[in-house]
Every structure is written in C-alpha cells, then in structure tokens.
C-alpha cells in the first residue's frame, strides 16, 4: 500500500536487522528536506545558523549509536549534543518529563541546536529533550521530524488527513511555508 511505505521505512530502518533500503529512503528524504528547507527552519527559529545537532534518543535500551545519527554522521558538519536517557522512566510514557533526558559532555551555553527525530507521536520526547537542551544552556532549539503518527479515527485529525490525501507530495513545500 503506497501510503504505508513511509511508516514501514520508519519502523524498518532501526529494526533488529535494519533495512538498508529503508535507511537509504529516509536519509534521502531528510537530506532533500535539509537541502531545500533548512533555511526555512533557520529563519523561523530566528537564528543565523546552527551550532549543534542532536537526536532524540531512543528510550528503549540501544547499545549502539542511534540509527538516525549513524545515517547522518559526518553529513551535517555540526558537533553533536550528547544526550542520555533516565532509565527510571518507562519508554511507554507519553507526557513531558523534565527529568527524562540529560545533556552530557558538551557546553551548550548560547547554542543553537537543530534537534532531529524520526517519529512524532505525542511530542513528549521532543519537548523533554528540548527542555534538557535549554537547561544545559541552549539559546534556541528547533526540531525536524521525519514522520508523524496519527489516529485516523480521532475527529481532530480527519480534516488534516483528508487535506493531505488530496494534495500530492511536493519536495518544494514544507510546514514552515504554510
């Protein structure tokens, strides 16, 4: 099913045996967005450029580097803000937690952080990571997300889903443009 391909890529790129095709598809999409729209995000955040990049960490125990960071390693030209997860908070939590994440090993005083995440469900992790980055001294934090989970049965989403289905994908359009 055509509409399910992106959701499949978001699940398959970091599976136990990651799909190289899914990783390539997501990396291509993200690099296309960055190439065409990072300026839009930069202007909307009212910064002149980014001093650091960060990835919303996986809240499930992952021994290796986050797959999104591994895909982007060496491509952004920015130092990484290192984040750790509070293991005492369940990965099932779907609400902001001020103590969920911590920045380690880097001074972020006055930093402008480009925060990247693969999937937005409730926004609680991005908000919690943003809080940790600001607490560590970051001046600005802007998030770019590859995908969004929605409940098509929820009335609030129905008009948005209808509008998205009626419009074809256009790489020259981003949310900042609307």
């Amino acid at each position: 099913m055509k509409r399910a391909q992106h959701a499949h890529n978001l699940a398959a790129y970091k599976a136990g045996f990651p799909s190289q095709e899914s990783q390539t598809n997501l990396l291509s999409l993200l690099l296309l967005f960055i190439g065409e729209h990072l300026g839009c995000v930069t202007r909307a955040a009212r910064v002149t450029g980014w001093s650091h990049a960060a990835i919303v960490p996986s809240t499930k125990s992952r021994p290796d580097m986050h797959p999104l960071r591994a895909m982007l390693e060496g491509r952004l030209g920015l130092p990484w803000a290192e984040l750790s997860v509070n293991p005492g908070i369940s990965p099932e939590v779907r609400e902001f937690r001020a103590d969920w994440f911590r920045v380690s090993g880097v001074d972020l005083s006055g930093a402008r952080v480009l925060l990247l995440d693969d999937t937005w469900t409730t926004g609680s992790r991005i908000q919690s990571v943003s809080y940790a980055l600001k607490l560590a001294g970051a001046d600005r934090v802007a998030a770019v997300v590859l995908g969004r989970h929605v409940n098509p049965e929820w009335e609030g989403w129905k008009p948005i889903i209808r509008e998205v289905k009626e419009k074809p994908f256009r790489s020259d359009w981003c949310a900042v443009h609307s």
Side-chain angles (χ1 to χ4, degrees), residues 1-136:
M1 185 175 199
K2 192 174 181 180
R3 293 182 307 236
Q5 185 62 46
H6 188 59
H8 167 77
N9 286 336
L10 287 167
Y13 95 98
K14 61 181 179 180
F17 295 100
S19 162
Q20 284 299 124
E21 181 179 1
S22 293
Q23 288 181 346
T24 300
N25 290 344
L26 291 175
L27 179 60
S28 298
L29 181 64
L30 185 55
L31 292 176
L32 176 69
F33 179 85
I34 287 171
E36 293 195 11
H37 302 289
L38 186 59
C40 306
V41 175
T42 301
R43 283 186 298 281
R46 298 184 186 140
V47 298
T48 56
W50 302 101
S51 63
H52 293 79
I55 301 286
V56 174
S58 174
T59 54
K60 296 180 175 122
S61 190
R62 180 179 298 282
D64 300 328
M65 181 184 296
H66 191 286
L68 184 57
R69 178 165 168 188
M71 289 173 12
L72 288 169
E73 195 69 23
R75 296 184 192 278
L76 295 179
L78 295 170
W80 292 96
E82 302 293 340
L83 293 147
S84 59
V85 179
N86 180 342
I89 299 175
S90 167
E92 305 308 314
V93 167
R94 297 284 186 243
E95 59 197 32
F96 169 81
R97 291 289 306 259
D99 60 342
W100 205 348
F101 301 97
R102 186 173 336 133
V103 175
S104 56
V106 64
D107 178 18
L108 291 181
S109 299
R112 299 161 322 278
V113 182
L114 180 63
L115 179 58
L116 303 159
D117 197 6
D118 51 13
T119 309
W120 176 292
T121 303
T122 64
S124 62
R125 291 185 181 136
I126 283 179
Q127 291 172 353
S128 299
V129 168
S130 296
Y131 180 82
L133 291 166
K134 294 284 227 162
L135 197 62

Side-chain angles (χ1 to χ4, degrees), residues 157-169 173:
W157 274 110
K158 288 183 178 180
I160 297 167
I161 291 170
R162 193 169 35 257
E163 183 178 344
V164 168
K165 284 181 179 179
E166 292 170 2
K167 292 181 179 178
F169 172 77
W173 185 88

